[in-house]
Amino acid sequence: MMPQAFDVTPVRADLPFAARITGLDPARLSDPDVRDALRNIWIDKGVLVFRGLEGEDVHLELSRIFGTLVQHPAREARAAHPELMTVRYKPESGWLIDVDGELRGTWLPWHSDLIYVDRINRGGILRPVQLPSHLGQTGFIDKIGAYQSLPDHLKWRIEGLNVIYKYDLDASHQKFGRTANPKMVRISPDVASIQARLDDFPRVLHPMVYEQRETGRKVLNVSPWFAVGIQGMENAEGDALLAEVADHIVGSSDVYLHDWEMGDMVLWDNWRTLHSATGCPPDEERWMLRTTIEGDYGLGRTEDDAAIDRAGYITV
């Protein structure tokens, strides 16, 4: 009889999503039974925290269990491993934000990756290379749980509606679900190059609610950051509805805030969870590497494509 390949425990006793994986031998990452088991737990829990794993090769092999790896379109990859993206704050040149009067390096509000394009990546795995003395956490919210706790009258109102998203990395422009009052102090070179190309990103639409394909559970599919309105309701009524839903999500008590340790690798389902970053002290470096797992849930459209659909020139 094969020994158990790894141990699975909750990351927190009162949290219905996210699980911690310990005791996983990297030599068993090629075992089909281990791979299937990890994929099934990921579908169930949405976030997996792997403890005690090291190295770029393990990072890449573990990531490939969950899908094909691609380069993230918004950041430069590392030349040695194109599938690894550097997420690094440097005190002398990094992205610096004033968050309610406190300076933070690379603070990020609640969002889904690539929600501002029509194809949303499936997920990713993040791993630390250098950590600050404090702060530097990554937060996660489960959008399945957020839908389950949504009042029934809001479930009824948002069924069949789409949210409009527009790319803009300046968090001070965020309209919905704000949890702080951020101000951009310094833009890092990579962020500046993207901000200069905002017109290259058309507005896109994603449904406010969809069903997880594997389980049928409904997902409250709203990313507070990058949301600019509701399709067909870009008015006071629509904005009030979207604000109420976004505030419900970011006000969830089911938030997992991961305190990083060296040897951690954290996998998240980008279709099912929101994530955020608390940022780091402005005078300390934080250096992470991440993979991007390819995917498309097939429900996003550009606004132009949606207009063609409504005009009847194409059918689905």
Side-chain angles (χ1 to χ4, degrees):
M1 185 175 181
M2 291 286 290
Q4 183 174 332
F6 52 82
D7 295 315
V8 184
T9 56
V11 295
R12 203 174 74 213
D14 63 335
L15 203 62
F17 79 104
R20 183 180 295 109
I21 307 295
T22 56
L24 177 59
D25 183 350
R28 298 198 63 183
L29 291 178
S30 60
D31 184 325
D33 291 337
V34 171
R35 297 167 75 90
D36 286 344
L38 290 173
R39 283 191 288 259
N40 289 336
I41 298 168
W42 187 39
I43 294 300
D44 182 39
K45 295 298 184 181
V47 174
L48 299 185
V49 177
F50 295 88
R51 280 263 153 95
L53 297 180
E54 298 280 359
E56 293 186 356
D57 290 341
V58 173
H59 189 174
L60 291 167
E61 187 175 2
L62 180 66
S63 299
R64 292 187 181 112
I65 291 174
F66 305 97
T68 302
L69 302 187
V70 294
Q71 292 187 31
H72 192 286
R75 293 286 188 94
E76 293 183 1
R78 298 178 73 247
H81 290 290
E83 303 95 339
L84 285 175
M85 182 179 83
T86 297
V87 182
R88 190 174 187 179
Y89 171 77
K90 296 181 179 181
E92 67 275 12
S93 61
W95 187 6
L96 193 61
I97 302 99
D98 179 314
V99 183
D100 293 333
E102 181 181 356
L103 291 179
R104 301 277 184 93
T106 319
W107 175 90
L108 299 176
W110 291 107
H111 68 286
S112 298
D113 279 346
L114 297 183
I115 194 72
Y116 44 80
V117 296
D118 55 348
R119 289 175 56 92
I120 305 177
N121 67 291
R122 184 60 200 268
I125 294 183
L126 195 61
R127 175 174 66 89
V129 176
Q130 182 173 340
L131 293 170
S133 62
H134 62 287
L135 294 173
Q137 297 100 332
T138 303
F140 299 94
I141 291 177
D142 179 26
K143 295 189 291 184
I144 289 176
Y147 182 83
Q148 292 170 348
S149 63
L150 191 70
D152 287 342
H153 75 277
L154 286 178
K155 290 179 181 177
W156 177 81
R157 288 188 68 193
I158 67 175
E159 192 69 35
L161 297 181
N162 296 306
V163 176
I164 305 166
Y165 295 96
K166 182 69 175 77
Y167 188 78
D168 184 353
L169 281 176
D170 188 338
S172 68
H173 298 161
Q174 181 180 347
K175 290 180 61 177
F176 303 100
R178 292 170 67 104
T179 59
N181 184 32
K183 298 176 183 177
M184 190 84 80
V185 175
R186 182 180 64 209
I187 303 178
S188 61
D190 57 340
V191 172
S193 67
I194 300 167
Q195 283 293 103
R197 298 187 289 108
L198 292 184
D199 290 342
D200 293 346
F201 294 87
R203 302 202 318 174
V204 299
L205 307 175
H206 290 280
M208 293 186 79
V209 179
Y210 80 95
E211 291 186 357
Q212 189 182 41
R213 188 176 304 147
E214 298 87 352
T215 68
R217 294 179 294 182
K218 288 194 172 184
V219 179
L220 186 54
N221 188 38
V222 174
S223 171
W225 197 17
F226 307 115
V228 297
I230 295 176
Q231 182 192 25
M233 296 178 66
E234 288 189 82
N235 51 36
E237 179 188 2
D239 284 358
L241 176 58
L242 184 50
E244 189 171 2
V245 172
D247 287 345
H248 169 80
I249 296 174
V250 300
S252 172
S253 59
D254 290 338
V255 174
Y256 174 56
L257 196 62
H258 183 68
D259 290 305
W260 288 96
E261 297 179 11
M262 299 304 294
D264 286 353
M265 297 189 191
V266 176
L267 163 73
W268 73 98
D269 183 340
N270 189 52
W271 296 351
R272 183 246 176 101
T273 63
L274 296 176
H275 60 281
S276 66
T278 63
C280 64
D283 58 348
E284 295 187 38
E285 185 167 338
R286 181 179 184 266
W287 182 5
M288 314 289 285
L289 293 176
R290 64 158 280 187
T291 53
T292 299
I293 299 167
E294 187 180 35
D296 179 16
Y297 73 159
L299 301 175
R301 295 175 294 169
T302 67
E303 201 170 33
D304 289 344
D305 285 344
I308 293 173
D309 289 346
R310 289 197 303 273
Y313 295 121
I314 61 173
T315 57
V316 178

